[in-house]
Amino acid sequence: MDNNSLVNTLKPSTRGQISHPTVFENSLGTVRIVSLAVLLLIGWLDYITGYEFGFFIFYFIPVAISAWYCGSKDGIFIAIASAICWYLSDKYTNHPYSNAYFIYWEMFMRLISFLTTSITLSKIRRLVLNEERMIVELLDMHSKLGRYTEADKKA
């Protein structure tokens, strides 16, 4: 297999994987809606199960989906929305705190966790995409170098 066919086959094979960051690039609106719907479902489940049944970990699902498939802006938006959703669920389940300000501290800590996850995943997403771009460029340059070397041998 020559380098040109390697360059041509690299992107389609990686884009076909569901875990690839650009697999849904033609339907980002759908990913955004699904992320928001999943967040609202988790918030509703958190509310109906009460404050004693912790749903904190599940809020990371829509944050991760948004950050990985849509990028940092969407991930940050869903991270903030997740913190607000958690706050509303906790507030309306009448979670008793020894101090009224503790709910704000809890929301802040969750917000920091969601933002950290979002920023980290979107950074990894950028690194993966940049690495793929560099591999394609490297293979392309390798192919061009091979053509120049062959031309020199013929001359």
Side-chain angles (χ1 to χ4, degrees), residues 2 13 15 17 20 22 25 27 40 44-45 55 62 64-65 69 89 100 103 107 115 132 136 146 148:
D2 69 347
S13 66
R15 284 182 178 228
Q17 298 173 1
H20 194 271
T22 60
E25 71 183 345
S27 53
L40 294 174
W44 178 73
L45 288 172
F55 264 79
I65 290 170
Y69 292 114
S89 171
I103 191 171
M107 185 185 79
L115 287 173
E132 283 186 354
V136 169
Y148 288 130

Side-chain angles (χ1 to χ4, degrees), residues 13 37 50 56 71 119 121 138:
S13 66
F56 169 64
I119 291 167
L121 281 175
L138 181 65

